[in-house]
Structure formats: C-alpha cells, structure tokens
C-alpha cells in the first residue's frame, strides 16, 4: 500500500509517497506533473519486491518552500539522506530525467541504474524545430504570456499529453483529469526564482556507464524522440525503446506497456527475482 511521507529539510517541507521494501527505486517527475504521475509504477515495483519512492520537488505538488536559493540536485541528495537511501535505481521523466542524469554524473557510486523517459538534459541546445512544431511552440508561448492559467493548462495538455501533432483530446478520462490537476497545481504556485542551475550535462553523457533504459513515446516532440536515439549511442550501457501511440508521458498514459519494461530492467540490473513468478 502506498504511504505518504513528509520531510522537513531546512526551510522546505518535501512531500512524497512510498511503498514496498528492498532495493530503492526513486521516481523523479516531469516538469508538468508531480509525484502522482508515478503511483501506478510505485505499486508495481512494490509488488515485485522493490522500495518505490517519489517526492514533489520545489515548486510542484504539495511541497512547500520559501523562494530561497536552492538546487534540485542538492535537494535530491538531501531527500535520499533523510530516507537513509545510499544507492538507488532512478526513474526520471522529462525534467526528472535531467535531474537523474545530473545525479548520476555527480554521484556515480549511488546510481545503480537509470530509466530515462522523454528525458531532458541539462545544458541541451535549443533544437531547430520543423514548421509544424514551431506553430505549436509559438502557440504555447503566446498563451503563456496571456497569464490565463486554464488556457495554458489546455495547451500544455495538448502538447505534452496528447502529443504536439496529435488531435487535441486524444487522451481522455482519468489520465487527462490527473494531468490537468497536476499541471494546474504547478501553474498556480509561486515561481521559484532563485534556483542554482546545474552544470551542463550534455557534453558529459558518455561518462555515464551505469545501465540505462531510454523510453520515448513516438507521438512526443520529434527532437525528444531523436534525443533518445542519440543517447543510446553515447551511453555505453544504454538501450532505447519507443512505445507507440504515446506522447511525452508513456508511463502515465500506458502503464500496461511501460511497467513490464521497467520491471524487466530492474530485475536485470539488480539480479532480484520476480516475486510473482
């Protein structure tokens, strides 16, 4: 059963969820979501004999923090220390993937494996976007300048959940409602303006030799899909998988396809038997 936790670290109160016991698997949410995007995966890894952990970073979900100087990397290290987690497998989506990469470069001895989903990378160059994608990007920028939270949320939902070139409303039901609740919470929070940005990781990717699974949805932004192909060549022990019919959040959209890949990878890198077999 998933249990909530709360950690007071200096002036910030971090909220999270956990389930299971055994080798830790730490989930790092996307920049348009919070810890709730991982509930299905946490239940799955707990049932398979692992300890699933997810928390809301500053500016997301229910975590509360003053607008003070901070680093997401230092926060992650502090959360792990508070939970007495020395090493873990890290599962990161989008901005959470970038944080997982940053952590692996800074703490290779604490990184047992990486699962990167539609990942960003610290210091990545702005890509050259095709005209049809530029139209979406321009619309996102224009609505953001308007300050209309509901309109921003609607455009974000189309771009990140449905996919930029997919029909708006492609993903329906509880998944759509959850995305809009998570992203709406972010949009209504006060900005964290004093983040200490990480060093660029884009030119150090080849230093990562830990086993890595790279997952992308084929309906995601093309440069993100292509990035995973590039990473699979740059990272010595990485392989890439594309989940068809999904966009930026394949783990949220199709856990029935994502979870088996995740569990197979966890068993491979940890040598842990499947409790269900």
């Amino acid at each position: 059963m998933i249990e909530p936790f709360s950690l007071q670290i200096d002036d910030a109160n971090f909220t999270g969820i956990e389930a299971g016991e055994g080798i830790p698997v730490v989930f790092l949410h996307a920049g348009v979501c919070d810890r709730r995007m991982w509930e299905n995966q946490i239940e799955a890894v707990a049932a398979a004999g692992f300890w699933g952990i997810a928390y809301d970073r500053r500016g997301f979900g229910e975590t509360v923090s003053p607008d003070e100087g901070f680093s997401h990397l230092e926060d992650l290290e502090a959360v792990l220390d508070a939970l007495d987690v020395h090493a873990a497998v890290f599962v990161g989506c989008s901005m959470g993937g970038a944080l997982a990469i940053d952590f692996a470069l800074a703490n290779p001895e604490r990184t047992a494996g990486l699962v990167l989903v539609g990942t960003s990378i610290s210091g990545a160059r702005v890509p050259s976007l095709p005209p049809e994608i530029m139209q979406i990007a321009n619309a996102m920028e224009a609505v953001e300048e308007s300050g209309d939270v509901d309109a921003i949320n609607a455009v974000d939902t189309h771009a990140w959940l449905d996919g930029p070139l997919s029909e708006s409303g492609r993903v329906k039901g509880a998944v759509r409602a959850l995305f809009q609740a998570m992203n709406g919470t972010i949009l209504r929070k006060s900005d964290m303006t004093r983040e200490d940005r990480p060093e660029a990781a884009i030119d150090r990717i080849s230093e990562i030799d830990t086993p890595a699974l790279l997952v992308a949805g084929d309906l995601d932004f093309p440069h993100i899909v292509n990035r995973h192909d590039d990473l699979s060549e740059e990272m010595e022990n990485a392989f890439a998988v594309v989940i068809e019919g999904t966009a930026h959040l394949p783990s949220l959209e199709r856990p029935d396809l994502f979870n088996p890949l995740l569990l197979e990878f966890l068993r491979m890198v940890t040598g842990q038997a499947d409790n269900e077999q």
Side-chain angles (χ1 to χ4, degrees), residues 14 29 31 55 57-60 65-76 94-96 98-100 102 120-123 186 190-200:
F14 292 89
H29 61 76
Y55 72 98
R57 298 194 297 278
R58 295 187 199 233
F60 300 88
S65 169
D67 188 11
E68 61 185 1
F70 77 98
S71 157
H72 284 305
L73 177 57
E74 291 179 359
D75 283 346
L76 173 55
S94 193
M95 289 175 60
L99 177 56
D102 293 339
S120 300
I121 305 175
S122 302
I186 298 164
S190 299
D191 291 337
M192 297 284 102
T193 64
R194 299 179 59 192
E195 178 186 353
D196 182 12
R197 300 289 179 177
E199 295 182 8

Side-chain angles (χ1 to χ4, degrees), residues 2-200:
I2 292 179
E3 298 288 346
F5 66 81
S6 178
L7 299 172
Q8 187 71 37
I9 300 175
D10 296 328
D11 293 329
N13 185 266
F14 292 89
T15 55
I17 51 177
E18 61 177 331
E21 57 185 12
I23 297 171
V25 183
V26 177
F27 294 88
L28 303 170
H29 61 76
V32 287
C33 297
D34 58 43
R35 70 181 191 271
R36 290 175 286 176
M37 73 169 288
W38 297 119
E39 288 181 357
N40 189 288
Q41 283 72 44
I42 287 181
E43 290 178 346
V45 302
F50 298 92
W51 177 19
I53 302 165
Y55 72 98
D56 294 331
R57 298 194 297 278
R58 295 187 199 233
F60 300 88
E62 295 180 338
T63 288
V64 177
S65 169
D67 188 11
E68 61 185 1
F70 77 98
S71 157
H72 284 305
L73 177 57
E74 291 179 359
D75 283 346
L76 173 55
E77 293 167 342
V79 167
L80 296 178
D81 291 345
L83 294 173
D84 199 24
V85 173
H86 173 68
V89 177
F90 294 89
V91 184
C93 181
S94 193
M95 289 175 60
L99 177 56
I101 291 170
D102 293 339
F103 184 89
L105 289 169
N107 303 276
E109 75 286 353
R110 302 184 71 175
T111 308
L114 292 172
V115 180
L116 306 175
V117 185
T119 195
S120 300
I121 305 175
S122 302
R125 286 76 171 171
V126 177
S128 176
L129 300 176
E132 62 272 21
I133 297 295
M134 277 302 303
Q135 291 181 357
I136 302 297
N138 290 337
M140 295 173 72
E141 183 177 352
V143 74
E144 185 172 346
E145 291 176 354
S146 76
D148 184 333
V149 170
D150 291 336
I152 297 170
N153 203 358
V155 172
D156 285 350
T157 305
H158 176 211
W160 299 115
L161 185 64
D162 295 325
L165 299 180
S166 298
E167 180 183 358
S168 181
R170 180 185 66 82
V171 181
K172 299 176 173 61
V175 171
R176 193 174 197 85
L178 176 58
F179 177 90
Q180 292 188 323
M182 292 187 292
N183 193 49
T185 297
I186 298 164
L187 294 172
R188 291 176 173 87
K189 275 183 170 283
S190 299
D191 291 337
M192 297 284 102
T193 64
R194 299 179 59 192
E195 178 186 353
D196 182 12
R197 300 289 179 177
E199 295 182 8

Side-chain angles (χ1 to χ4, degrees), residues 5 76 88 110 132 150 191 202 209 212 224 230 245 247 250 254 256 262 275:
F5 66 81
L76 173 55
R110 302 184 71 175
E132 62 272 21
D150 291 336
D191 291 337
I202 188 67
D209 59 5
I224 296 177
D230 295 339
R254 292 297 305 271
D256 59 315
L262 172 62
N275 286 359

